């Protein structure tokens, strides 16, 4: 597990459409994410938090600015270097867990690892460990339809943990979950940061996660308007 | 553990079955079209396919279906060639016999069983050849027995000569595939007064033992080309006849065009089905892209799904086509489906499925994981 992330966004801007009707989704955002921290990006719908996440994670190229990871610009060679960054350093948890309906909880973790070229034995071990980590060992043979929304989201998180990413990018991971499940996810994220030394960047408008994070960044109309360190519970 | 492609297919069974049924039906149509074409083409080359001679000499003018007579020099060159061990000159092979009890006329192929036996079918046993040696003996095929009503031991008179059914032959000889010897034919065909001998239309040849076929053909053709003739292998001759048969017979051409059209339509439908299957697992596949699984690996998953569709369809198409053949035969539709053609047609079904997968691959390229962000 890497402990140094060194993720640095410098002057990120992104706009959609053409002038004079262009919508500026990100406006010159600069921020540095410390290693082994749980950072929440808050903001109303359309504030640019998903856009920031996309640019920082290598999913969507910003129109201006750079994203550096361990001193290197992840967009230096366009999509190719961004894809390599995603493959080598990133995990993703989306609002929808994106689980294959035909695979069991254990297979949801094992199959992507194999697709990434991880050795069969290593993949087996990591899948079992990751499922244990999210407290779902007993449900390893369950299909997504046999699990609750919260459990499915935990499987999706386990799938990413098994990949052992340096940074876990999450987009509204709890917005479809009830309070208990949201708390469970918050605790899980906190545990991942403390025990595994991973960095979590989570875009959300769900304030239930704030008690578990180290830092809250607030966006409004594409601009960073607030940046506050937290004292997690 | 099953692969991701297999598990996803079993999950999307309704979409998968739609594709499989479409592909199976297309395969069955292709099988039956080929079977209908076979009926005509088999009749065309039934004798030529079975002759013992490995080499056939024909005129270079005209077509194989409408052979022109060769000059006596050709026969003389073949006779004089040091690469030829034996040859048989043929100008006429079919001989009309008599109508059977059902009223259907019996015609027979005249073959040589006393000389080098180059025109005798390869599958004809030594015992059957011996039966034919006696002039007036006829070997009856199962199909001719069924059509004409003749039975073993029946006798009849043709042109003042008594002929007798002395044996039955099985296998692919089919209708009008019954056999008589050339001596029997010579008895029946009255001598035609002519000033010069009948010119050969085909010469069957066997090369010297231990000599390569290609070498014999090369040496023969060096000479025969000068006299407007060419030597070719039996297989090339049959292939040429089939090719000309396809070109000249409108029904066969129509069957093959139809089979091709059905194959193309099936390809488009399956491609659509595979695309729809990709659409059904878009967010899951996009998640894989997001975490760094390469698109070619995802393409392989899609191709594997298509391959499984093809395998299942190919397996289902065989029994379905055989049932279809039985049904058509019950309604007296002439159809002949050969076991040897099953593998290539199954291969076509598989290739169609894989092509459909390839056609659907571009939709993998449009997977955008950024769209998973809210």
């Amino acid at each position: 597990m890497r402990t140094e992330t060194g993720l640095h966004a410098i002057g990120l801007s992104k706009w959609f459409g053409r002038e004079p009707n262009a919508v500026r989704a990100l406006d010159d955002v600069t921020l540095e994410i410390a290693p082994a921290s749980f950072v929440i990006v808050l903001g109303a719908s359309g504030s640019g938090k998903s856009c920031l996440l996309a640019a920082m994670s290598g999913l969507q190229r910003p129109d201006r600015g750079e994203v550096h990871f361990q001193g290197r610009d992840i967009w230096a060679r366009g999509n190719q270097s961004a894809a390599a960054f995603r493959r080598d350093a990133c995990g993703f948890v989306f609002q929808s867990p994106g689980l294959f309906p035909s695979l069991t909880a254990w297979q949801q973790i094992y199959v992507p690892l194999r697709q990434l070229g991880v050795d069969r034995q290593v993949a087996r071990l990591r899948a079992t460990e990751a499922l244990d980590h999210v407290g779902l060992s007993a449900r390893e043979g369950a299909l997504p339809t046999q699990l609750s929304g919260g459990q499915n989201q935990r499987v999706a998180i386990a799938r990413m943990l098994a990949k052992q990413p340096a940074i876990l990018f999450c987009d509204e991971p709890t917005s479809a979950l009830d309070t208990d499940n949201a708390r469970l996810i918050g605790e899980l994220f906190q545990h991942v940061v403390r025990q595994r030394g991973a960095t979590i960047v989570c875009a959300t408008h769900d304030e239930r996660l704030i008690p578990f994070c180290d830092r809250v960044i607030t966006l409004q109309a594409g601009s960073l308007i607030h940046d506050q360190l937290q004292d997690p519970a | 553990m099953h692969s991701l492609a297999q598990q996803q297919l079993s999950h999307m069974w309704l979409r998968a079955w739609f594709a499989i049924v479409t592909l199976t039906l297309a395969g069955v149509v292709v099988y039956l079209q080929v079977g209908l074409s076979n009926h005509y083409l088999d009749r065309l080359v039934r004798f030529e396919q079975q002759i013992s001679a490995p080499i056939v000499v024909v005129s270079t003018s005209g077509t194989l279906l409408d052979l022109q007579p060769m000059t006596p020099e050709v026969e003389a060159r073949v006779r004089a060639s040091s690469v030829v061990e034996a040859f048989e000159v043929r100008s006429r092979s079919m001989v009309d016999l008599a109508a059977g009890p059902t009223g259907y006329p019996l015609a027979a192929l005249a073959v040589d069983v006393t000389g080098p036996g180059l025109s005798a079918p390869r599958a004809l046993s030594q015992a059957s050849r011996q039966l034919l040696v006696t002039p007036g003996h006829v070997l009856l095929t199962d199909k001719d027995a069924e059509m004409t009503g003749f039975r073993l031991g029946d006798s009849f008179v043709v042109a003042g000569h008594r002929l007798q059914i002395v044996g039955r032959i099985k296998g692919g000889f089919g209708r009008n595939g019954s056999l008589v010897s050339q001596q029997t034919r010579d008895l029946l065909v009255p001598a035609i007064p002519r000033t010069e001998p009948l010119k050969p239309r085909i010469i069957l040849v066997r090369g010297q033992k231990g000599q390569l076929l290609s070498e014999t053909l090369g040496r023969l053709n060096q000479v025969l080309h000068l006299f407007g003739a060419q030597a070719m292998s039996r297989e090339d001759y049959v292939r040429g006849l089939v090719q000309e048969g396809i070109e000249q017979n409108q029904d066969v051409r129509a069957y093959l065009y139809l089979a091709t059209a059905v194959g193309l339509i099936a390809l488009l439908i399956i491609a659509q089905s595979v695309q729809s299957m990709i659409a059904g697992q878009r967010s899951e596949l996009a998640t894989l892209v997001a975490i760094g699984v390469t698109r070619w690996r995802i393409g392989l998953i899609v191709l594997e799904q298509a391959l499984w569709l093809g395998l299942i369809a190919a397996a289902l198409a065989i029994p379905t086509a055989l049932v279809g053949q039985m049904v058509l035969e019950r309604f007296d539709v002439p159809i002949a489906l050969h076991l040897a053609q099953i593998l290539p047609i199954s291969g076509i079904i598989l290739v169609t499925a894989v092509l459909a997968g390839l056609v659907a691959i571009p939709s993998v390229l449009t997977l955008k994981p950024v769209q998973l962000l809210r």
Side-chain angles (χ1 to χ4, degrees):
Chain A
M1 176 70 64
R2 296 182 195 89
T3 52
E4 287 292 320
T5 58
L7 190 63
H8 195 184
I10 308 159
L12 291 184
S13 293
K14 177 78 184 173
W15 51 89
F16 296 100
R18 292 187 174 195
E19 295 292 353
N21 300 318
V23 175
R24 191 163 284 241
L26 276 182
D27 190 5
D28 196 24
V29 174
T30 296
L31 65 100
E32 186 164 6
I33 309 277
S37 61
F38 179 8
V39 180
I40 283 183
V41 183
L42 271 184
S45 293
S47 60
K49 54 187 189 301
S50 293
C51 205
L52 176 65
L53 210 65
M56 290 184 76
S57 63
L59 285 177
Q60 190 172 50
R61 188 168 197 162
D63 292 319
R64 192 175 295 160
E66 292 176 358
V67 178
H68 288 252
F69 176 67
Q70 293 179 340
R72 289 184 184 175
D73 182 3
I74 67 165
W75 291 103
R77 285 182 294 121
N79 286 331
Q80 199 180 352
S81 54
F85 167 65
R86 292 202 309 268
R87 186 189 61 231
D88 297 337
C90 299
F92 292 88
V93 177
F94 302 104
Q95 182 179 359
S96 164
L99 301 178
F100 287 96
S102 61
L103 301 185
T104 64
W106 184 85
Q107 290 169 340
Q108 303 284 355
I109 306 165
Y110 174 79
V111 169
L113 286 178
R114 292 289 295 142
Q115 294 293 331
L116 284 166
V118 176
D119 174 74
R120 191 184 300 267
Q121 288 303 323
V122 175
R124 281 178 192 278
L125 196 67
R126 281 206 216 165
T128 306
E129 275 179 4
L131 213 50
D132 185 43
H133 196 91
V134 298
L136 285 173
S137 294
R139 306 304 311 275
E140 67 170 30
L143 294 168
T145 49
Q146 296 164 326
L147 296 171
S148 68
Q151 287 174 323
N152 276 329
Q153 196 60 289
R154 276 151 67 194
V155 172
I157 293 169
R159 176 171 62 186
M160 293 305 151
L161 294 182
K163 194 180 165 243
Q164 300 183 341
I167 314 166
L168 189 59
F169 291 97
C170 308
D171 186 49
E172 305 285 7
T174 55
S175 54
L177 303 181
D178 59 25
T179 304
D180 285 345
N181 274 309
R183 184 178 50 77
L184 269 175
I185 301 292
E187 286 173 356
L188 183 59
F189 282 163
Q190 201 176 42
H191 183 74
V192 167
V193 171
R194 301 286 175 270
Q195 300 299 314
R196 296 196 162 207
T199 301
I200 296 180
V201 182
C202 180
T204 185
H205 60 262
D206 186 354
E207 298 192 353
R208 293 174 296 182
L209 285 177
I210 292 178
F212 304 98
C213 75
D214 302 305
R215 183 180 171 193
V216 177
I217 291 165
T218 309
L219 289 181
Q220 190 178 58
S223 297
L224 200 159
I225 59 162
H226 196 65
D227 189 346
Q228 185 180 4
L229 291 176
Q230 289 284 122
D231 188 13
Chain B
M1 185 183 144
H2 297 297
S3 69
L4 177 60
Q6 284 170 292
Q7 303 214 158
Q8 283 295 95
L9 266 185
S10 64
H11 177 73
M12 297 182 290
W13 62 269
L14 196 60
R15 283 194 187 115
W17 272 109
F18 176 71
I20 288 168
V21 168
T22 307
L23 198 49
T24 303
L25 288 178
V28 169
V29 169
V30 173
Y31 271 119
L32 297 183
Q33 302 296 348
V34 170
L36 290 167
S37 306
N38 281 343
H39 178 76
Y40 165 77
L41 296 173
D42 286 354
R43 276 196 347 202
L44 202 62
V45 295
R46 187 178 52 232
F47 171 71
E48 287 76 6
Q49 262 180 333
Q50 304 196 26
I51 53 176
S52 299
I55 295 171
V56 177
V57 175
V58 294
S59 166
T60 50
S61 62
T63 63
L64 294 178
L65 280 177
D66 183 24
L67 284 171
Q68 298 301 304
M70 290 179 285
T71 58
E73 285 82 4
V74 175
E75 184 183 339
R77 298 296 159 178
V78 172
R79 187 186 301 277
S81 172
S82 62
V83 294
V84 172
E85 183 194 273
F87 71 97
E88 179 183 331
V89 177
R90 293 181 68 82
S91 55
R92 179 176 177 174
S93 59
M94 289 298 294
V95 52
D96 294 326
L97 299 178
T102 62
Y104 193 87
L106 176 64
L109 288 165
V111 296
D112 174 32
V113 284
T114 53
L118 296 177
S119 59
R122 279 168 288 158
L124 200 62
S125 67
Q126 200 55 42
S128 298
R129 288 179 194 229
Q130 282 302 317
L131 280 174
L132 275 185
V133 169
T134 308
H137 281 184
V138 180
L139 292 179
L140 193 67
T141 66
D142 290 342
K143 194 70 185 172
D144 279 344
E146 180 191 325
M147 300 294 288
T148 61
F150 278 129
R151 295 162 61 178
L152 191 63
D154 283 355
S155 62
F156 47 90
V157 175
V158 180
H161 297 277
R162 179 159 292 279
L163 275 74
Q164 189 178 16
I165 312 288
V166 295
R168 293 280 292 270
I169 44 176
K170 296 183 184 299
F173 295 82
R175 196 159 64 185
N176 291 342
S178 297
L179 300 177
V180 293
S181 67
Q182 285 192 8
Q183 289 71 20
T184 302
R185 182 202 60 187
D186 293 343
L187 283 176
L188 303 178
V189 178
I192 303 167
R194 50 181 175 260
T195 52
E196 57 184 50
L198 197 62
K199 288 177 181 173
R201 288 178 186 271
I202 180 172
I203 302 176
L204 303 179
V205 173
R206 185 167 66 216
Q208 296 288 359
K209 277 198 177 69
Q211 191 167 251
L212 288 175
L213 180 67
S214 55
E215 191 184 338
T216 312
L217 287 173
R219 296 271 297 276
L220 273 174
N221 278 331
Q222 278 177 357
V223 179
L224 296 181
H225 276 307
L226 304 173
F227 298 94
Q230 63 171 326
M232 60 177 76
S233 70
R234 176 183 58 225
E235 286 73 22
D236 283 347
Y237 178 51
V238 169
R239 215 170 288 132
L241 279 171
V242 168
Q243 188 62 40
E244 286 183 10
I246 292 172
E247 285 165 9
Q248 289 195 9
N249 188 293
Q250 284 189 346
D251 287 348
V252 171
R253 280 212 314 274
Y255 290 148
L256 294 181
Y257 290 148
L258 188 57
T260 309
V262 166
L264 287 175
I265 292 166
L267 176 67
L268 292 176
I269 293 174
I270 309 304
Q272 280 298 316
S273 293
V274 175
Q275 270 175 340
S276 127
M277 283 161 65
I278 295 171
Q281 44 193 336
R282 210 168 171 76
S283 69
E284 293 87 348
L285 295 176
T287 305
L288 291 183
V289 176
I291 63 171
V293 175
T294 53
R295 288 177 195 270
W296 71 263
R297 266 189 183 270
I298 292 171
L300 282 183
I301 296 171
V302 172
L303 277 184
E304 192 189 333
Q305 287 180 352
L307 187 68
W308 278 110
L309 291 179
L311 277 173
I312 297 169
L316 287 176
I318 296 168
T320 315
L322 291 176
V323 169
Q325 183 189 13
M326 283 163 59
V327 171
L328 288 176
E329 279 174 345
R330 272 185 82 85
F331 289 99
D332 286 331
V333 177
I335 183 166
L337 203 53
H338 301 322
L339 287 176
Q341 289 171 330
I342 286 178
L343 203 60
I345 295 177
S346 300
I348 290 172
I349 296 173
L350 266 184
V351 169
T352 305
V354 172
L355 280 177
L358 285 172
V359 170
I361 287 283
S363 59
V364 171
L365 302 177
T366 64
L367 287 172
K368 288 182 180 161
V370 70
Q371 289 170 350
L372 296 171
L373 298 172
R374 302 284 160 167

